Amino acid sequence: MSDHYFLYFVPLAAGFLLDLLFGDPKGLYHPVCLIGNLIAALEKGIRRLFPKTKDGELAGGFTEVLLVCVLCLGVPGAVLCLLYRYFPWAGLFLETFWCWQLLAAKSLKKESMKVYDRLKNGTLEEARYAVSMIVGRDTQSLTEEGVTKAAVETVAENSSDGVIAPMIFMALGGAPLMFLYKGVNTMDSMLGYKNEKYLYFGRCAAKLDDIANYIPARISGWLMVAASCLSGFDGKNAGKIYKRDRRNHASPNSAQTESAMAGALGVQLAGNAFYFGKLYEKPTIGDPLRPVEPEDIKKANRLMYTAAVLSLVFCLVLRGFLLFLAG
């Protein structure tokens, strides 16, 4: 296979197109669910081994992160290494399939459009339930505008976490590095809370996720600004709001794509939100040039898809550059 350099690009390109067209393969256990079960099982065992003190929780959280990272990188890496050595076409097929499974553009659109459908054709209560499936905040008291904003924000944030960042890691190190990223990202979503249970145990997971997403989030933000120009949105305002508001979040990464999205659509996102019954005061992102409306969910998905295609081009060029450097 070393003589067929174009095959170096196949898993990423084919996996991306399969996800864009079909979404998650149906009837199969998803790798992220497997990673989530691993994280939960390790947490139970680790909490029994370490004392329930600040230092014990920090040490336990570090141990959890270390084990999950080693397994997420090592297991797929070993499997692909063996397949590419003895059954190269099987290795190519499996890496393509894993790339397909680990990208989430189609799923992100599908789940956010369920919120749109309930806003247009159902009740507010149904829309609140639909959006609760894709956001971490409390949704019981959200208005129609609040539900819409939550859906648009999750499309914006997950454009990076679920689509662009995994492709960047795939371009850098193939499916094993993509699995490592998903492991880090899943740990953050499960352990990275600033509540009594996870304040110390989840700190290492949250910090590692911030580090892993630092560069991909900024690449995603600029790709979304470029995508806004190509998909008929306000590219100039997207760039303006991105540069102004990209730090308007407790996380160093979450506002990167949200700010570009808010500027492109000409709406205001973020602001105060309830989590586990507690109000968190958060700065707003963007200017309220007009009210947020359900149609913005469709627009957000169009912008996300355009940014994803630009990301594919960027990642294929990056992968080609790495191939060139490797000789």
Side-chain angles (χ1 to χ4, degrees):
M1 287 180 65
S2 59
D3 294 331
H4 303 288
Y5 293 115
F6 75 93
L7 294 176
Y8 190 69
F9 303 94
V10 168
L12 176 56
F16 174 83
L17 291 174
L18 286 167
D19 173 65
L20 215 60
L21 293 171
F22 304 111
D24 287 333
K26 298 189 185 306
L28 295 174
Y29 197 68
H30 200 282
V32 173
C33 294
L34 188 63
I35 292 171
N37 290 339
L38 170 68
I39 292 167
L42 285 174
E43 181 187 351
K44 287 181 181 179
I46 288 169
R47 282 188 181 277
R48 286 196 292 266
L49 293 174
F50 286 86
K52 293 177 174 56
T53 62
K54 176 183 175 181
D55 289 342
E57 295 270 295
L58 289 170
F62 174 79
T63 303
E64 169 106 11
V65 167
L66 182 63
L67 290 174
V68 171
C69 287
V70 167
L71 290 169
C72 284
L73 180 65
V75 172
V79 170
L80 285 176
C81 184
L82 287 171
L83 286 179
Y84 274 125
R85 170 174 281 189
Y86 298 108
F87 308 100
W89 290 102
L92 183 71
F93 174 84
L94 182 60
E95 191 166 25
T96 299
F97 182 74
W98 276 343
C99 181
W100 175 14
Q101 283 191 302
L102 292 175
L103 292 176
K106 183 79 169 185
S107 296
L108 181 56
K109 179 183 178 183
K110 180 180 177 183
E111 294 304 313
S112 61
M113 287 305 292
K114 287 180 182 178
V115 181
Y116 172 82
D117 177 69
R118 292 300 82 202
L119 286 170
K120 299 293 285 186
N121 304 308
T123 65
L124 179 57
E125 193 61 36
E126 290 172 335
R128 287 170 177 162
Y129 176 78
V131 83
S132 73
M133 297 293 101
I134 57 174
V135 300
R137 76 193 66 180
D138 299 343
T139 62
Q140 306 94 313
S141 59
L142 289 180
T143 63
E144 179 176 310
E145 182 179 13
V147 169
T148 305
K149 282 175 62 176
V152 171
E153 287 165 18
T154 203
V155 170
E157 185 173 352
N158 284 288
S159 295
S160 180
D161 291 358
V163 185
I164 298 173
M167 281 201 287
I168 291 172
F169 280 90
M170 175 75 185
L172 291 172
L177 206 61
M178 197 180 194
F179 265 99
L180 175 61
Y181 172 76
K182 295 305 291 187
V184 171
N185 199 235
T186 307
M187 278 192 289
D188 180 59
S189 68
M190 293 178 66
L191 310 176
Y193 295 102
K194 292 182 179 179
N195 55 25
E196 185 177 350
K197 183 177 181 180
Y198 290 113
L199 180 61
Y200 301 118
F201 190 89
R203 182 172 294 178
C204 184
K207 294 298 183 184
L208 183 59
D209 184 73
D210 286 345
I211 294 168
N213 278 296
Y214 191 85
I215 293 175
R218 282 147 185 80
I219 293 172
S220 299
W222 282 114
L223 287 174
M224 191 162 282
V225 171
S228 66
C229 299
L230 297 174
S231 50
F233 297 107
D234 191 341
K236 183 177 180 181
N237 196 50
K240 169 190 165 186
I241 299 300
Y242 173 72
K243 286 185 280 187
R244 191 191 75 188
D245 292 351
R246 60 184 176 173
R247 297 181 182 86
N248 285 10
H249 202 284
S251 161
N253 303 318
S254 294
Q256 300 291 320
T257 46
E258 282 188 42
S259 56
M261 179 76 76
L265 300 182
V267 298
Q268 189 173 80
L269 301 175
N272 297 347
F274 282 89
Y275 294 85
F276 304 105
K278 182 179 178 181
L279 176 64
Y280 287 81
E281 295 186 357
K282 301 162 65 177
T284 56
I285 296 173
D287 296 324
L289 303 180
R290 60 175 181 82
V292 179
E293 56 188 21
E295 292 299 320
D296 287 319
I297 299 174
K298 295 175 73 174
K299 294 175 182 178
N301 279 300
R302 192 166 92 232
L303 186 55
M304 180 268 291
Y305 263 48
T306 307
V309 172
L310 289 178
S311 176
L312 176 64
V313 174
F314 171 81
C315 289
L316 290 176
V317 171
L318 175 61
R319 201 151 171 79
F321 179 69
L322 293 174
L323 180 61
F324 172 77
L325 290 180

